Amino acid sequence: MLRKLLAVSLLSAFAAAPALSAPPALEIGYLPILPDAQLFIALEEGTLQAKDAPAPKLVQFQSGPALTQALIAGQLDAAYVGIGPALVARAKGADIKVIASNIVEQVNVVALGPLAPYFASGDPATAFARFAKDHGRKPVIASYPKGAVPEAALQYWLRNQIKADPASVELIYQGEAQIQQSLLTGAIDGAAILEPTVTTVLTRAPESRVVARGSELFPKQPGAVLLVREKLIAEHPDTVQQLVNAHLTSTALLKNDPAKAAGYVQKYVGGGRLDRSLVEKAIRSSHDQFVADPHAIVNATAELQTFQATLGTVEAPPVDVKQLFDTRYYDKAAKQ
């Protein structure tokens, strides 16, 4: 009789215990750019979520500011976005944590045929002024909108690296697709851009050249990152770990098998219209820039935030950069 009562008691206790929370259907924001390549690889290889988890819902954005607004509004569970928008979103109250880096030193300055020769000889600091003297106008240089990493890297290069007079250039702000079109049609003289636009422009406009690479613009500049909501960390840590595990695997594929990675990435970047060989070339040229370790960008992120504050390009108040990062999941994945 005692055994029967004990069995009934155990069954009742088991029935009353709360069920384990099922893995959520993640809502993931992203931009269709090469710096978000890890997402595209994980999607194609099916490693982004656990086998028993529902497929994620992808939300595509065309600019970092638009994605930032979604984060501030409490939308999205995770995002692949530039560190600049991440800083702004955090400063404006978004409960987010950066859990992995995607890429570093991603920005290149490309000059078209008319401007490129002025960097081939003479002092780079006076290249824009010499162009203006010969052409009767300032060179027009495009970058991403203010607050984005490419714009900050361009400004850092102008002011701190080559020490050019910022007034010697006319800066305009466009999205990646607009910048590429402007370069290919000769509507501008140069731009601070990312891959695969760099490779596309160099291929289609043979007289263009890279006049400054990422490390020359802003050493160790942080680029795109993987971030998640703190709520997701609190309620579904295994899901967060799965994202980071997949991120490291995808980063390894980008570095070790660019041909295979290009087949995945080509479907998402540039609307899927870019030639696979061009995407592969862009991945190969970015080999050393694919860095998943979030520790590698903490200090540079703080430096970026400080520099943007001096420019006044970001209205949001500064954040505690170390509190923006949660490196536990990367550390665990790296040990494995």
Side-chain angles (χ1 to χ4, degrees):
M1 183 66 179
L2 181 60
R3 289 181 179 179
K4 185 175 181 180
L5 288 173
L6 181 59
V8 171
S9 177
L10 288 172
L11 285 171
S12 299
F14 180 78
L20 293 176
S21 178
L26 295 179
E27 188 172 20
I28 302 175
Y30 76 100
L31 278 68
I33 56 176
L34 187 68
D36 289 350
Q38 285 95 335
L39 168 63
F40 311 139
I41 292 171
L43 283 170
E44 292 298 310
E45 294 214 313
T47 59
L48 199 62
Q49 72 278 353
K51 292 182 180 180
D52 59 341
K57 175 186 177 183
L58 297 186
V59 184
Q60 179 177 309
F61 294 83
Q62 293 303 318
S63 71
L67 202 159
T68 301
Q69 290 304 313
L71 291 170
I72 295 170
Q75 303 165 0
L76 307 174
D77 300 298
Y80 293 75
V81 66
I83 192 67
L87 284 167
V88 172
R90 177 80 179 186
K92 294 190 174 182
D95 62 328
I96 55 173
K97 291 281 190 179
V98 172
I99 55 174
S101 167
N102 297 8
I103 196 167
V104 300
E105 299 180 342
Q106 61 179 342
V107 186
N108 292 261
V109 175
V110 172
L112 294 184
L115 177 62
Y118 292 90
F119 285 91
S121 61
D123 185 356
T126 63
F128 298 118
R130 286 183 281 120
F131 174 95
K133 181 179 179 180
D134 292 344
H135 292 264
R137 63 174 179 83
K138 296 179 182 180
V140 180
I141 307 297
S143 83
Y144 276 44
K146 292 182 179 181
V149 173
E151 186 268 341
L154 174 62
Q155 293 279 11
Y156 192 93
W157 175 66
L158 288 172
R159 298 163 185 265
N160 296 356
Q161 301 294 76
I162 65 173
K163 301 185 185 307
D165 180 2
S168 65
V169 299
E170 180 182 346
L171 296 180
I172 64 172
Y173 306 98
Q174 299 178 325
E176 184 75 8
Q178 290 177 296
I179 291 177
Q180 178 173 303
Q181 182 179 11
S182 296
L183 285 168
L184 294 178
T185 59
I188 57 178
D189 301 296
I193 51 177
L194 316 174
E195 287 285 11
T197 302
V198 176
T199 297
T200 300
V201 173
L202 295 178
T203 301
R204 299 182 184 178
E207 294 183 356
S208 62
R209 65 186 294 261
V210 175
V211 297
R213 297 196 177 276
S215 59
E216 299 171 296
L217 268 71
F218 190 127
K220 297 183 179 180
Q221 64 183 255
V225 296
L226 166 58
L227 60 83
V228 296
R229 288 207 174 278
E230 292 181 273
K231 181 179 179 182
L232 187 69
I233 291 175
E235 297 179 358
H236 300 282
D238 290 345
T239 298
V240 176
Q241 189 65 61
Q242 181 74 26
L243 285 172
V244 177
N245 292 349
H247 196 81
L248 266 66
T249 301
S250 298
T251 303
L253 186 69
L254 285 162
K255 298 173 78 72
N256 300 329
D257 195 346
K260 184 177 181 181
Y264 296 147
V265 176
Q266 186 269 342
K267 297 180 181 180
Y268 298 88
V269 174
R273 296 183 295 273
L274 295 177
D275 187 81
R276 178 171 171 171
S277 63
L278 187 148
V279 175
E280 181 181 341
K281 186 175 180 180
I283 291 174
R284 289 184 182 277
S285 72
S286 305
H287 178 275
D288 294 339
Q289 280 72 58
F290 290 117
V291 173
D293 185 356
H295 296 283
I297 64 171
V298 174
N299 291 338
T301 298
E303 185 177 357
L304 173 69
Q305 179 176 241
T306 299
F307 176 68
Q308 288 183 310
T310 65
L311 292 178
T313 55
V314 178
E315 296 179 359
V319 303
D320 184 338
V321 169
K322 290 186 178 180
Q323 292 300 314
L324 175 64
F325 289 80
D326 188 336
T327 62
R328 294 173 296 167
Y329 299 93
Y330 171 83
D331 294 339
K332 182 176 180 179
K335 289 179 181 179
Q336 297 172 351

